[in-house]
Amino acid sequence: MKLLLSLSVIIGAIVMASTLTCNVCNFRFLFVCIGSSSTISCTGNCSLTQTFAGSAPFFSQQACDTNCVSNTTTQKENVFGLNYVKTCCSTDLCNSGNSAKLSLSLGLSMLLLWLLKCV
């Protein structure tokens, strides 16, 4: 019985040690998180998916991805000609970047004001 208890404690410690902390933001526009952003414990890898229009960064997403392999892959989307670059990493907060919090209503208000100024 003591052996079973000891093994369960060791396995629990290994599982706790293998988790890492990742930033999560579903939609980042020009380095500003629209909506809510947070940090979570992740049992996979952290990922940062960036979208480029040509060579200019457009928007990105930070996440915890359980099936992500630590590398960089590039995919091209044919309809709008956007390039997606997904980077996976395995250290705490490695998918960071500038993630200033911005509420959705404030972001939409700023966009509306900018559009009205351009008209």
Side-chain angles (χ1 to χ4, degrees):
M1 188 63 153
K2 288 182 181 181
L3 179 63
L4 184 60
L5 181 62
S6 298
L7 284 175
S8 64
V9 168
I10 291 171
I11 291 172
I14 290 171
V15 169
M16 290 293 287
S18 67
T19 62
L20 62 127
T21 304
C22 297
N23 291 307
V24 174
C25 176
N26 289 328
F27 186 76
R28 258 178 43 175
F29 180 70
L30 300 176
F31 306 108
V32 177
C33 184
I34 308 293
S36 64
S37 66
S38 63
T39 57
I40 62 167
S41 292
C42 181
T43 57
N45 287 326
C46 300
S47 68
L48 175 64
T49 304
Q50 296 175 301
T51 304
F52 294 90
S55 62
F58 190 56
F59 62 88
S60 62
Q61 177 186 27
Q62 299 167 310
C64 167
D65 193 341
T66 56
N67 297 323
C68 198
V69 179
S70 294
N71 65 2
T72 301
T73 58
T74 302
Q75 297 176 343
K76 184 165 182 133
E77 191 271 325
N78 292 329
V79 175
F80 297 107
L82 300 175
N83 291 321
Y84 297 94
V85 177
K86 184 172 188 176
T87 305
C88 304
C89 53
S90 58
T91 58
D92 284 340
L93 302 175
C94 58
N95 65 339
S96 61
N98 295 331
S99 59
K101 292 184 178 181
L102 183 69
S103 71
L104 182 59
S105 58
L106 179 61
L108 291 175
S109 299
M110 290 173 55
L111 179 64
L112 180 62
L113 288 173
W114 180 76
L115 286 173
L116 289 174
K117 185 178 179 182
C118 290
V119 174

